[in-house]
Amino acid sequence: DTGPGGAGAAAENAALAEPEGPDKCLSLLPWDRFSAWLHCVCVVGFDLELGQAVEVIYPPHSKLTDKEKTNICYLSFPDSNSGCIGDTQFCFRFRRSPGRKVSFCCFLDQLDRDLPVYLKKDSAYYYGYVYFRQVRDKSLKRGYFQKSLVLISKLPYVHLFRTMLKQIAPEYFEKSEAFLEAVCSDVDRWPPPVPGKVLQLPIMGVIMKLRIPTYRDKPGTTPIVQNMHQADAQISMALPTVHEVDLFRCFCPVFFHIQMLWELVLLGEPLVVMAPSPSESSETVLALVSCISPLKYCSDFRPYFTIHDSEFKEYTTRTQAPPSVILGVTNPFFAKTLQHWPHIIRIGDIKLPGEVPKQVKVKKLKNLKTLDSKPGVYTSYKPYLNKDEEIVKQLQKGVQQKRPTEAQSVILRRYFLELTESFIIPLERYVASLMPLQKCISPWKSPPQLRHFSQDDFMKTLEKAGPQLTSGLKGDWIGLYRHFLKSPNFDGWFRSRQKEMTQKLEALHLEALCNENLVFWSQKHSEVETVDLVLKLKNKLLQADREHLPVKSETLKKLQTHINDIILALPDDLQDILLKTGTT
């Protein structure tokens, strides 16, 4: 057993039977299952001498560098001016210290490949999911009890970890360390985070049921996880999503500018969100990053950023243009420090409007003097596309009819999805045309190269096959594309497309080789040429495995049979050498 007895005994149910197949390796070592979901759990408290300090790290063997601990310390507490009394939940994201070995990653990489691109983990960053409690306590010198329970993970599953913290944090503050051990012991019994499967995750007597999306899911659809009746006494909770935030609630304060904000995020423009508390700043930043889904936002983003952050100097310097990042801040000091940033979103307390939101004008940056400035978007950016009045009317009508916020979020998410797809389809179509024809693939030559991406050629395709085929929005689409092609989001998107297509060419080349009579070929050629062919084929098989090429397993088996047949037709001494070569 990996943790204290009884901790998750009730959680041993059929859903957690020993995994078969590739999951097998997960049952090998203690804490491997835990590591598939979390890096560690931290408790951050306030010490009168030291200030914020990490009091507990669990499991105790978890490694964090001093720099990482310092970042976690400062990011786990709201700024003192936020005045968060009671319980507050938010999340942050910080850079991992370089040069650390990642154990147990082969299996997790396999899972990562099945995720939609915007959910793939970025190994350079950790997320911190925080449950902060601040309550009056006369027995303490400061007069307040202040503590944060923080989950550190590489996974961007905001809703899952938020739900989990809601479940465990209040009880932890009453019960302390032994309870934390029991929680971690439960997590170490979870099945691996396999995309596309309905997973049952027991946590302190409750089972959370959820499904992680896969890249095969149709964008904008969420298969519903049914809340099945449990035969035993355990309570089960179905999570509608693992990663989504409440879009409508987040965008409410800047309701009339959603389309302009979509453009700014798409183009990777430097954006800062100034909010009254970390929960509002982090939710808004996550909403912005998700509004261009299914495209991946490829620049850095910080749902909550403080003046103590290790990247503070790098991101606030005036010696160069602001970087392509989205920052969420709450400290009034930033109103001065980031004055030179081109786009600032100022939000007040996020409350859902009881009445129709008022039209808020885009404000000029020079009007943003302090954080007391009125909520709104401060920028001199001129959107490329004309405003879509339809979506504004639809959401306003929803407010009047008291439509539930979940329903409003669904409408908004669909609107962003359709806008992004209209924008990206012409690019997808053009990039697909860069793929060489199948008849150009010869088994006896290296796979052909992709044709070069030409901005001019792409622009010419827009006249007949542009976004007008799927979107009624008028405006300067060409200008928007030109700007996008210079952005980090285009660079990231194009690289991943290039990689996919190159792998597809390698896979087609493998298939072409399989369909040849290789034994017949070897009989017509010298031993030297035949040995060379065998070594090349073995390399191909190793590459297919290493790069996870999209090849059917039958094709690989067939190629292995070809190799064996060729070897068996050779003299014995060569057979011995070749059977040993390249099999490791």
Side-chain angles (χ1 to χ4, degrees):
D1 196 7
T2 54
E12 297 288 8
N13 63 1
L16 296 182
E18 281 303 296
E20 286 304 321
D23 308 3
K24 210 48 179 160
C25 64
L26 282 174
S27 52
L28 293 181
L29 292 168
W31 297 115
D32 266 357
R33 288 165 171 251
F34 177 91
S35 307
W37 293 92
L38 291 173
H39 177 67
C40 64
V41 179
C42 298
V43 178
V44 179
F46 196 91
D47 182 290
L48 275 178
E49 309 291 312
L50 304 168
Q52 279 137 248
V54 175
E55 295 176 353
V56 180
I57 297 179
Y58 208 86
H61 64 262
S62 305
K63 301 240 184 321
L64 287 171
T65 63
D66 289 344
K67 190 176 178 183
E68 287 168 343
K69 279 186 201 159
T70 306
N71 271 329
I72 290 168
C73 275
Y74 284 115
L75 289 164
S76 298
F77 271 42
D79 279 314
S80 51
N81 63 290
S82 290
C84 300
I85 294 290
D87 291 359
T88 307
Q89 280 192 263
F90 59 94
C91 93
F92 59 84
R93 186 172 179 262
F94 65 103
R95 266 187 209 162
R96 286 183 62 197
S97 298
R100 277 236 305 280
K101 229 175 52 225
V102 185
S103 59
F104 178 57
C105 62
C106 62
F107 178 77
L108 296 181
D109 286 349
Q110 202 176 322
L111 299 184
D112 210 49
R113 281 200 311 279
D114 288 336
L115 289 167
V117 61
Y118 54 88
L119 283 184
K120 287 182 190 296
K121 60 180 186 304
D122 184 335
S123 53
Y125 291 90
Y126 279 131
Y127 283 85
Y129 300 99
V130 183
Y131 194 106
F132 170 73
R133 174 168 286 185
Q134 174 165 286
V135 286
R136 282 189 185 284
D137 185 337
K138 295 228 170 65
S139 69
L140 295 171
K141 214 168 175 184
R142 276 168 70 87
Y144 281 101
F145 167 91
Q146 291 175 310
K147 232 184 234 323
S148 280
L149 182 61
V150 190
L151 308 177
I152 304 293
S153 174
K154 291 196 203 79
L155 304 176
Y157 301 159
V158 192
H159 188 70
L160 162 63
F161 292 122
R162 187 190 168 85
T163 308
M164 176 178 164
L165 277 168
K166 221 181 238 167
Q167 207 54 41
I168 60 170
E171 213 170 327
Y172 164 73
F173 291 128
E174 308 297 323
K175 292 185 179 167
S176 81
E177 307 320 308
F179 181 77
L180 202 53
E181 281 190 36
V183 165
C184 293
S185 187
D186 265 1
V187 177
D188 200 39
R189 290 185 170 85
W190 286 5
V194 179
K197 258 186 175 176
V198 173
L199 304 174
Q200 303 196 27
L201 312 181
I203 193 81
M204 304 319 287
V206 172
I207 290 186
M208 297 186 292
K209 291 190 178 171
L210 53 95
R211 180 186 177 278
I212 298 167
T214 81
Y215 72 91
R216 294 178 203 87
D217 295 353
K218 185 171 179 285
T221 60
T222 312
I224 299 298
V225 178
Q226 291 302 329
N227 220 337
M228 295 177 327
H229 177 67
Q230 287 298 111
D232 53 27
Q234 289 205 317
I235 309 149
S236 113
M237 224 162 53
L239 273 58
T241 171
V242 287
H243 66 284
E244 287 170 354
V245 291
D246 186 339
L247 265 196
F248 181 66
R249 218 178 110 253
C250 297
F251 279 116
C252 229
V254 286
F255 190 83
F256 289 94
H257 309 306
I258 49 176
Q259 195 177 316
M260 176 172 74
L261 294 175
W262 173 84
E263 283 190 23
L264 292 174
V265 175
L266 180 77
L267 299 172
E269 285 286 310
L271 260 172
V272 62
V273 174
M274 295 183 175
S277 79
S279 56
E280 274 129 356
S281 88
S282 61
E283 294 238 316
T284 308
V285 169
L286 292 168
L288 285 165
V289 167
S290 75
C291 79
I292 60 167
S293 172
L295 265 185
K296 181 186 172 73
Y297 179 77
C298 295
S299 298
D300 189 8
F301 59 95
R302 304 299 177 91
Y304 175 49
F305 188 75
T306 75
I307 54 175
H308 304 286
D309 199 288
S310 50
E311 276 75 59
F312 174 73
K313 278 200 176 72
E314 179 190 334
Y315 283 174
T316 56
T317 175
R318 285 174 179 253
T319 54
Q320 56 203 58
S324 169
V325 291
I326 302 180
L327 299 181
V329 303
T330 61
N331 192 323
F333 178 71
F334 280 108
K336 201 141 97 233
T337 324
L338 299 179
Q339 249 175 354
H340 62 298
W341 275 45
H343 321 289
I344 295 173
I345 301 169
R346 169 81 184 95
I347 54 175
D349 291 311
I350 296 187
K351 294 187 189 72
L352 281 170
E355 65 284 339
V356 178
K358 307 276 183 294
Q359 169 78 18
V360 189
K361 284 206 164 62
V362 173
K363 301 175 174 67
K364 291 285 177 282
L365 275 164
K366 60 179 191 308
N367 301 342
L368 185 76
K369 288 290 174 277
T370 64
L371 256 187
D372 306 331
S373 307
K374 289 197 165 53
V377 179
Y378 292 78
T379 178
S380 49
Y381 176 81
K382 295 270 178 290
Y384 286 96
L385 304 182
N386 301 349
K387 196 162 177 181
D388 187 342
E389 300 294 348
E390 217 30 63
I391 181 72
V392 175
K393 281 186 202 144
Q394 203 179 350
L395 291 171
Q396 280 180 319
K397 193 174 166 195
V399 173
Q400 285 165 336
Q401 295 173 344
K402 306 216 173 351
R403 189 186 289 145
T405 164
E406 296 82 10
Q408 294 276 72
S409 283
V410 168
I411 291 169
L412 194 48
R413 193 166 276 112
R414 191 186 313 128
Y415 162 75
F416 282 136
L417 174 69
E418 286 170 3
L419 194 51
T420 306
E421 287 192 324
S422 290
F423 180 79
I424 211 73
I425 286 168
L427 270 163
E428 294 272 14
R429 195 182 285 124
Y430 170 71
V431 168
S433 75
L434 303 178
M435 186 87 163
L437 296 172
Q438 197 154 348
K439 66 180 182 196
C440 304
I441 297 170
S442 154
W444 307 113
K445 288 184 191 150
S446 294
Q449 299 286 302
L450 293 174
R451 282 201 296 285
H452 177 68
F453 185 104
S454 151
Q455 184 170 325
D456 292 342
D457 289 353
F458 166 64
M459 292 299 178
K460 283 176 197 151
T461 67
L462 294 175
E463 199 180 326
K464 286 198 174 66
Q468 70 278 10
L469 298 181
T470 48
S471 171
L473 266 188
K474 298 278 183 278
D476 182 10
W477 285 95
I478 301 270
L480 187 61
Y481 281 114
R482 276 194 208 288
H483 195 151
F484 177 71
L485 294 180
K486 296 190 200 95
S487 76
N489 288 334
F490 168 71
D491 188 53
W493 172 83
F494 184 59
R495 269 186 223 224
S496 94
R497 280 290 170 275
Q498 248 178 333
K499 187 180 169 191
E500 271 172 37
M501 289 160 70
T502 307
Q503 288 192 332
K504 180 75 181 145
L505 284 171
E506 290 287 354
L508 289 169
H509 187 242
L510 259 180
E511 278 170 26
L513 274 167
C514 263
N515 295 332
E516 287 292 309
N517 186 340
L518 298 177
V519 179
F520 180 71
W521 181 93
S522 66
Q523 287 161 356
K524 296 255 183 270
H525 290 75
S526 70
E527 276 180 12
V528 174
E529 289 170 308
T530 303
V531 169
D532 189 47
L533 176 69
V534 168
L535 295 176
K536 277 184 177 153
L537 293 175
K538 285 194 168 200
N539 271 336
K540 279 276 182 197
L541 282 179
L542 287 171
Q543 180 197 12
D545 184 53
R546 189 178 59 245
E547 294 176 17
H548 309 287
L549 296 181
V551 186
K552 297 189 189 78
S553 55
E554 296 82 66
T555 306
L556 297 177
K557 279 183 198 145
K558 197 170 162 188
L559 197 56
Q560 187 61 64
T561 310
H562 279 325
I563 294 171
N564 296 344
D565 291 346
I566 296 169
I567 293 175
L568 290 173
L570 290 167
D572 291 355
D573 55 338
L574 275 177
Q575 282 189 35
D576 289 344
I577 296 165
L578 288 173
L579 288 169
K580 285 177 192 152
T581 313
T583 49
T584 48

